[in-house]
């Protein structure tokens, strides 16, 4: 029987690429996002994952439709770029809610089903910003560092019951989230938009190119497959050499 996964942020960018890849690999996929399209990959489910109710309804929907869950891929996210003294406090709360609390709630609510699966997997889409910081991203960097701590804890608690938890830490990926940042970064750093990619975003990366969403989906598919069996409690870093310095 095919395995069942819940992917968040599946209407766009990396999440969409992950949902497409898992469907192509024969998974049943619940594709969760704020707004969903009927023609997207997997079965659409609309939820606001900054709320407890949104996370719990998403897990319930997956269990109702598929009768179980073998994998949870918390991926939904957004960025907010601002100096710390001007950092909007509501944006901070929303970043922590979506990037850190939602993965916790999804793991908590899906835990019994993942345990029953016998080979439950949690793969969080974190970021190189879970390992290092950049200025003007206090909320995002803090939440991404936090979620890697959550992954370690889930791995230790999950090991005795057949649940593995890992993460991927990509550098910059060609998605809407990055396209939007180019204008923001241009303003904050005082650099023309056409120079932002090389002079700001890719400056710390040894390999000067963006990842494609499908490359992140490949890594997630690997972690969910037989080759990922001994990956738990640690991130798979795909940062083009960013953290090698
Ligand atoms: N793009 C990058 O360079 C990059 C690099 C490293 C990590 N990431 C991480 O990858 C993940 C996906 O990012 P992306 O680049 O594909 O972004 P994206 O903007 O293309 O997609 C993010 C999705 O999350 C959804 N979302 C936002 N708020 C939500 C909410 N409250 N409830 C439900 N869904 C919500 C959006 O609607 C959107 O479809 C994020 O966690 C991001 O931090 C991205």
């Amino acid at each position: 029987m095919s395995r069942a996964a819940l992917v968040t942020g599946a209407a766009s960018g990396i999440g969409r690429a992950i949902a497409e890849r898992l469907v192509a690999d024969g998974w049943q996929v619940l594709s969760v996002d704020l707004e969903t399209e009927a023609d997207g990959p997997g079965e659409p489910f609309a939820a606001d994952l900054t709320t407890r109710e949104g996370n719990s309804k998403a897990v319930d929907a997956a269990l109702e439709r598929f009768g179980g869950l073998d994998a949870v891929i918390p991926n939904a996210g957004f960025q907010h770029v601002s100096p710390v003294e001007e950092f909007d406090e509501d944006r901070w709360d929303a970043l922590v809610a979506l990037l850190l609390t939602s993965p916790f709630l999804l793991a908590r609510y899906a835990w019994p089903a993942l345990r029953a699966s016998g080979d439950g997997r949690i793969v969080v889409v974190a970021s190189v910003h879970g390992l290092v910081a950049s200025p003007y991203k206090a909320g995002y960097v803090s939440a991404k560092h936090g979620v890697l701590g959550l992954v370690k804890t889930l791995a230790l608690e999950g090991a005795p019951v057949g649940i593995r938890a890992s993460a991927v830490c990509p550098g910059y990926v060609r998605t809407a989230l990055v396209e939007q940042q180019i204008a923001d970064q241009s303003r904050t750093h005082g650099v023309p938009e056409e120079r932002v990619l090389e002079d700001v975003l890719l400056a710390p990366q040894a390999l000067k190119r963006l990842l494609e969403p499908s490359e992140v989906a490949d890594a997630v598919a690997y972690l969910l497959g037989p080759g990922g069996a001994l990956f738990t409690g640690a991130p798979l870093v795909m940062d083009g050499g960013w953290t090698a310095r």
Side-chain angles (χ1 to χ4, degrees), residues 8-16 32-35 47-50 74-78 98-99 125-129 140 144 168-178 180-181 210:
T8 75
S12 160
I14 297 169
R16 190 181 180 99
V32 185
D33 210 301
L34 271 178
E35 287 171 20
D48 179 355
L49 298 166
T50 61
N75 159 83
F78 69 93
L98 187 60
L99 302 181
V125 178
S127 167
V128 68
H129 281 118
Y140 185 89
K144 291 292 189 185
V168 290
C169 286
Y172 284 104
V173 187
R174 194 187 308 281
T175 69
L177 186 142
V178 166
Q180 280 155 15
Q181 271 186 71
L210 295 174

Side-chain angles (χ1 to χ4, degrees), residues 47-206:
D48 179 355
L49 298 166
T50 61
T51 67
R52 288 184 192 168
E53 195 191 15
N55 285 282
S56 112
K57 284 194 166 164
V59 171
D60 287 348
L63 295 178
E64 265 167 38
R65 291 181 201 197
F66 308 142
L69 255 183
D70 304 289
V72 175
I73 298 99
N75 159 83
F78 69 93
Q79 178 61 276
H80 182 68
V81 179
S82 166
V84 73
E85 64 179 338
E86 294 162 18
F87 207 97
D88 185 272
E89 293 159 40
D90 289 337
R91 299 306 276 168
W92 168 279
D93 286 347
L95 279 165
V96 172
L98 187 60
L99 302 181
L100 177 57
T101 307
S102 170
F104 160 69
L105 293 173
L106 292 170
R108 186 185 190 291
Y109 302 144
W111 200 257
L114 294 173
R115 187 172 48 215
S117 151
D119 185 12
R121 310 272 176 113
I122 297 165
V123 179
V124 177
V125 178
S127 167
V128 68
H129 281 118
L131 302 167
V132 292
S134 293
Y136 313 123
K137 295 185 176 175
Y140 185 89
V141 167
S142 303
K144 291 292 189 185
H145 275 68
V147 83
L148 292 182
L150 173 69
V151 162
K152 290 179 188 175
T153 312
L154 298 177
L156 296 181
E157 289 190 33
V161 295
I163 299 173
R164 295 161 178 85
S166 58
V168 290
C169 286
Y172 284 104
V173 187
R174 194 187 308 281
T175 69
L177 186 142
V178 166
E179 311 276 346
Q180 280 155 15
Q181 271 186 71
I182 294 181
D184 287 348
Q185 294 271 13
S186 162
R187 210 175 333 102
T188 319
H189 287 270
V191 176
E193 284 198 18
E194 59 277 14
R195 296 298 316 158
V196 166
L197 198 59
E198 246 178 74
D199 293 358
V200 180
L201 297 187
L202 295 178
Q205 211 171 284

